[in-house]
Amino acid sequence: MINITLPDGAVRKYENGVSAFDIAKSISEGLARKIIAAQVNGEVWDISRPIQNDASLKLLTFIDNEGRTTFWHSSAHLMAEAVEQLYPGVKFWVGPAVDNGFYYDMDLGDHKLAEEDLQALEKKMNELARQNNKFERKEIRKEEAINYFTEKGDQYKLDLLQNLQDGEITFYSQGSFTDLCRGPHIPHTGLIKAIKLTNIAGAYWKGDEKNKQLIRVYGVTFPSQKEMDEHLAMLEEAKKRDHRKLGKELGIYTMDDDVGPGLPLWLPNGTIIIEELEKLAKETETDGGYKRVVTPHIAKENLYLTSGHLPYYEDSMYPPMELEGVKYYLKAMNCPHHHKIFAAEPKSYKDLPFRLAEYGTCYRYEQSGELFGLMRVRCLHMNDAHIYCTKEQFYEEFKAVNDMYRKYFKIFGIDKYVMRLSLHDPAKRGKKYVDEPELWKETELLVRDVLIKTETPFVEVQDEAAFYGPKIDVQIWSAIGREFTLATNQVDFAQGRSFNLSYTTANNQSDTPLIIHRAPLGTHERFIGFLLEHYAGKFPVWLAPVQVKLLPISDKYLDYAKTILQKLKKADIRAEIDDRNEKIGKKIRDTEMLKVPYMLVVGEKEMNEEKVAVRRQGKGVTGVQFVEEFINATRNEIMERKD
Amino acid sequence: MINITLPDGAVRKYENGVSAFDIAKSISEGLARKIIAAQVNGEVWDISRPIQNDASLKLLTFIDNEGRTTFWHSSAHLMAEAVEQLYPGVKFWVGPAVDNGFYYDMDLGDHKLAEEDLQALEKKMNELARQNNKFERKEIRKEEAINYFTEKGDQYKLDLLQNLQDGEITFYSQGSFTDLCRGPHIPHTGLIKAIKLTNIAGAYWKGDEKNKQLIRVYGVTFPSQKEMDEHLAMLEEAKKRDHRKLGKELGIYTMDDDVGPGLPLWLPNGTIIIEELEKLAKETETDGGYKRVVTPHIAKENLYLTSGHLPYYEDSMYPPMELEGVKYYLKAMNCPHHHKIFAAEPKSYKDLPFRLAEYGTCYRYEQSGELFGLMRVRCLHMNDAHIYCTKEQFYEEFKAVNDMYRKYFKIFGIDKYVMRLSLHDPAKRGKKYVDEPELWKETELLVRDVLIKTETPFVEVQDEAAFYGPKIDVQIWSAIGREFTLATNQVDFAQGRSFNLSYTTANNQSDTPLIIHRAPLGTHERFIGFLLEHYAGKFPVWLAPVQVKLLPISDKYLDYAKTILQKLKKADIRAEIDDRNEKIGKKIRDTEMLKVPYMLVVGEKEMNEEKVAVRRQGKGVTGVQFVEEFINATRNEIMERKD
């Protein structure tokens, strides 16, 4: 018998060689029908694979990231099967799952695939899916694998085989199709109920433009048509809410070739949003007992050698500037500078927790091809802070950070979020992770403990920790259900030692503080990109670049509008007058386009009564109010940061 | 007869060959006794030198920068004469005037000059000064000059002669001493009434440590003992107010070897001051109709080639980072980024004036040896803005900027200031200055016109303009009378063209805007350095990092102190409690040291009456107040930014 530990901590006993599917069935038949893969000791497995030793087990369905990834990876195999049946002789390169589906790169010889061909392919895939063909895993010797693909004449797979050894080669087959594949896969094709091939693109073999261009077909699949419909509707809506489109229309940011890729220039409207976010963060952090600091954007190489970012992180940094024989780097993170501030003056236990906050601007190198609007940039304005505390203070500090995240989620109407707890891989200590076995164990336990005790929704992932400690990535969903990775929250037991940070304990000993790295609002770049989509550009009043637009019906009421403008400005409400010589209907339409929350129409009646006719963006007239009344209500809405 | 134009615009006629001294005498005998040099067509001359053509003339006394420089340069010659008499055979390198006096570098052979020797030197200088020896100018042929110094055996002067040609070589003699010197000099040594030699240092010949080390003697002189006494008292006070000393004591900033020289890390207290200054600037700029933007700290080489900063300014920039075959530079100024924002959306005359403001952080390369605390750094947080306007709008815009400067001077209690208008040198167009003769003329007139019409105190200097237009440097004096160059205000008629910036005029034509670069608060680095000295660290309440310190007489009153703390925090007053187990006397003394403006002592009586005993830093007890009363008064003091 072996012990199987389930995610809730329950331990069940099973026969040696039991499969995840058997275990699911032993729990519920309904569950067994839905599971598509299983996490065994943190690794994703086929559900039919026998478990031989004690293990932790998580059953995965389509709602789990890893389940979805498996589902889409299997769908790529299904597509390959369909392609092979329709285009015999096709050769395959790789076919992974991606963020929103999957693709497969293939060599169709002289055949040029057209959009029309996709329908036939979809049809064939549906046909094959309905055959409920099992995905069968087979371990295979290298020689045999080479023979198979030599016979098939697929030089791409033979190329892949070069880097593999006996013992690590597996084949997966379903129906008539067999692929070299590490797996895992879903149990059978019948789970794939809805199929959509979305795009055809060219892709150079191995990404090298000197190589042959392969055909890449993208697709997406779901366990039900309903989920497919929702997904496509969401994509349609996401297109309308594209932050790059809205960013331009609303004057939020611009990019410029002479400045460089991935380096947004924030226009006046975008800067207002930045400043409102910073104000919120500063208020929140001041209340939380943080102290603010300002540090330079560069530092000597030596600082990053001490921190260990060099050489670990070098590929993600801008190349150095060499000055007077010293290499200076643009900072890719603020922590080393903050550590230096911690160290600038001697500390005692009375100074802890010591919390340093900075909207620090960091620079990271992302490949040109990876850059995407505000979502993937090279310049990052980070809502950063570092908390230096004792182990005894860790729980409260970590909890306070968690509370801060939740406060922000509430303000921004973010209803769905998950904390993704990234743990290290013990096998990679000394390379990808600092070699401190005890500390890894201890801190991973501490972090998990906080998450469980605070009932924070979270998932665990292996081998994605920061190199200096476990980390939490916060995943949030926008109003239309798109997922964003936003912020991080990292524990650090390594840098305190590297920087010789210390404090005097109550017993007059010297000890090293634990460090929490946290950035609840992430970066301006990504967060404002998210907000543009989330609000579809219709920012709540407190964030709106222009909060109120005055629309005089004619020039006759311009002076009255100007007196109101002065009152609004005095009340710190961002307001403008549309003084164009246009009809009121056009003024309203244009202001609606600019997504200004409030429009105040003023004409004869309003002027005589010292009132304004209030229109809410997207909602039409909401009433006629005295000017002071409107100002008070709006001030209140702004102060409370109403959503 | 020739026409001599005086600074007030008056034109007087004199005989051809008249000297500045003759002209001074013709105005007043008293003036003639005080003048020490003259500015003839912008060039500084000996007052005895004959003027042969029509010229503009400014008579210089010790209060003029150029007058003072001449006085101290002549004092260096006087010192050299004294040295030569006491140490025959001495050889001289160079002896210029510097910020606060003068020095001379010399080779005394084997003699090691000691502090004691300075007294004897001063005595000899006084003796020689009282001889009223004339400074006599003599134009000399190169050959003759070489003979003179060959005979004297002074290889240093022979080295200097190498780079000079016939027609540009002059000797100056006074008493027994003759020097190779371009001049000008004061009329005679008798004007030097007070002499102090301040320091002996070593200085490698030509600054190269492979060369011989020469002896550098520093000194300072004045036309009266009274001025010398005031100067020495000011230096003494300045030492106490040294911003590096106060910066450390008050936790304002720190430097770190691993980060790099000239790159301050702003500690929490310094960051509070930064944020208060930024708040002031943002409020003022918002009222002034500025829009805020945020731009990256780097840009491609091409941006700076367009702006012309490369290659003109390359020596002052950090070296490039080469990425994907493109050179990126850290920005040394914000203007090119702002121009790109101006250009991001089409502009019409209705959009002008278009004012973009940013607290942009720039990086400039200053040689390690030049770095000095916060005063000369490599990282500059600039209170920057660029105003794009038409020529018609220029006067009003330039005046508004001037008004802003004056508003700031008032807030910070800066009573003495001078605008230093830097003009270009027509001979250097195409090299040091862009080659646009008409525009130089036009804009220099416009700027001068604004300064005259607004009655702003200003001086004109030749050949110190920015390369793209005339510029104003603002010189201010701290409370103890030390001079600081703070901010600049530049006109730019070149970059608008280089960047193809344009707007559509009312007549539907395309025109290029004029640009004003302005930074009234300069950089945080220099301005906070100035403020530390100006206030001797005793910041007015609105700027003070900790505004109120609560001092409970014993632990018994700690809870009462805590309730007050909450009230203070709620009123946005930065407050702390001294909860140490110390006597109240020590608490007061320690808080005085930290220069916290208000101390609230609370004991039995205060607690019972819900009052606080108020102490003002440096002034002792000022009264007992109800808590609310104190809070209201302090809020008011903060809101009004009282000095």
Side-chain angles (χ1 to χ4, degrees), chain A residues 455-521:
Chain A
E455 298 182 355
T456 303
F458 78 104
V459 294
E460 290 192 14
V461 281
Q462 306 297 321
D463 195 18
E464 293 193 6
F467 80 89
Y468 43 59
K471 119 184 143 160
I472 285 172
D473 290 301
V474 180
Q475 286 171 291
I476 59 175
W477 278 260
S478 75
I480 57 167
R482 278 224 309 164
E483 184 184 342
F484 290 78
T485 299
L486 179 73
T488 62
N489 187 358
Q490 309 180 351
V491 189
D492 183 343
F493 46 81
Q495 283 197 45
R497 289 187 182 184
S498 315
F499 279 85
N500 285 321
L501 302 186
S502 69
Y503 64 96
T504 311
T505 66
N507 304 325
N508 224 11
Q509 304 291 305
S510 177
D511 204 350
T512 306
L514 264 183
I515 302 171
I516 301 173
H517 305 243
R518 47 110 283 188
L521 294 175

Side-chain angles (χ1 to χ4, degrees), chain B residues 221-257:
Chain B
T221 53
F222 286 91
S224 73
Q225 189 59 39
K226 182 167 170 283
E227 282 159 289
M228 173 67 85
D229 291 345
E230 283 168 3
H231 175 75
L232 295 178
M234 188 267 277
L235 287 187
E236 195 55 37
E237 184 60 29
K239 214 183 279 176
K240 284 187 213 151
R241 294 176 177 225
D242 187 316
H243 79 274
R244 294 165 303 170
K245 177 175 153 285
L246 287 173
K248 190 176 163 63
E249 283 169 16
L250 302 177
I252 304 298
Y253 75 100
T254 187
M255 297 280 194
D256 191 284
D257 277 348

Side-chain angles (χ1 to χ4, degrees), chain A residues 306-318:
Chain A
T306 303
S307 70
H309 287 108
L310 288 178
Y312 285 101
Y313 203 77
E314 190 166 16
D315 290 348
S316 303
M317 292 173 76
Y318 273 72

Side-chain angles (χ1 to χ4, degrees), chain B residues 321-334:
Chain B
M321 296 166 277
E322 199 159 331
L323 193 67
E324 297 173 341
V326 176
K327 285 183 183 167
Y328 287 83
Y329 282 87
L330 265 179
K331 69 177 171 187
M333 61 295 295
N334 299 302

Side-chain angles (χ1 to χ4, degrees), chain A residues 266 294 297 324 363 365 368, chain B residues 266 294 297 324 363 365 368:
Chain A
W266 292 93
V294 173
H297 300 92
E324 296 172 343
Y363 289 83
Y365 173 63
S368 300
Chain B
W266 292 93
V294 173
H297 300 91
E324 297 173 341
Y363 289 83
Y365 173 64
S368 301

Side-chain angles (χ1 to χ4, degrees), chain B residues 371-510:
Chain B
L371 298 171
F372 177 70
L374 292 174
M375 284 300 152
R376 212 169 261 269
V377 290
R378 290 179 175 172
C379 170
L380 306 98
H381 291 78
M382 289 180 68
N383 171 226
D384 213 355
H386 296 91
I387 301 170
Y388 303 82
C389 63
T390 65
K391 275 181 198 160
E392 295 70 37
Q393 292 166 336
F394 179 78
Y395 179 86
E396 280 306 319
E397 290 303 310
F398 200 81
K399 182 176 174 304
V401 170
N402 236 36
D403 290 348
M404 200 181 274
Y405 277 99
R406 281 204 291 265
K407 176 192 153 162
Y408 289 138
F409 293 158
K410 204 169 163 203
I411 290 175
F412 295 103
I414 297 166
D415 302 323
K416 185 178 172 195
Y417 63 91
V418 166
M419 305 281 182
R420 184 178 163 89
L421 168 57
S422 297
L423 306 169
H424 82 304
D425 178 346
K428 295 180 186 166
R429 280 198 303 254
K431 278 171 291 183
K432 193 170 168 189
Y433 305 109
V434 286
D435 195 15
E436 297 275 10
E438 279 312 302
L439 278 166
W440 276 108
K441 200 174 157 189
E442 196 171 344
T443 53
E444 289 185 352
L445 278 171
L446 274 171
V447 172
R448 190 186 291 111
D449 193 44
V450 171
L451 290 173
I452 292 170
K453 285 199 184 138
T454 56
E455 297 182 356
T456 303
F458 78 103
V459 294
E460 290 190 17
V461 280
Q462 305 296 322
D463 195 18
E464 292 193 9
F467 79 88
Y468 43 59
K471 116 183 148 163
I472 285 171
D473 290 302
V474 180
Q475 287 172 291
I476 58 176
W477 279 260
S478 74
I480 56 167
R482 278 225 307 165
E483 183 184 342
F484 290 78
T485 299
L486 179 72
T488 62
N489 187 358
Q490 308 180 354
V491 189
D492 183 345
F493 45 83
Q495 283 198 46
R497 290 188 182 186
S498 315
F499 279 85
N500 284 321
L501 302 186
S502 69
Y503 65 95
T504 311
T505 66
N507 303 325
N508 224 12
Q509 305 291 307
S510 177

Side-chain angles (χ1 to χ4, degrees), chain A residues 6 39 76 82 91 123 134 137 157 200 299 305 322 345 388 398 425 445 448 454-455 498 505 534 564 567 593:
Chain A
L6 297 173
Q39 210 167 29
K91 293 161 192 170
K123 200 176 154 207
K134 278 198 181 150
R137 181 175 188 272
K157 295 290 176 186
I200 306 171
L305 289 171
E322 198 159 332
E345 293 165 322
Y388 303 81
F398 199 81
D425 178 348
L445 278 171
R448 190 186 291 110
T454 56
E455 298 182 355
S498 315
T505 66
H534 186 57
I564 303 174
K567 286 181 187 167
M593 288 290 293

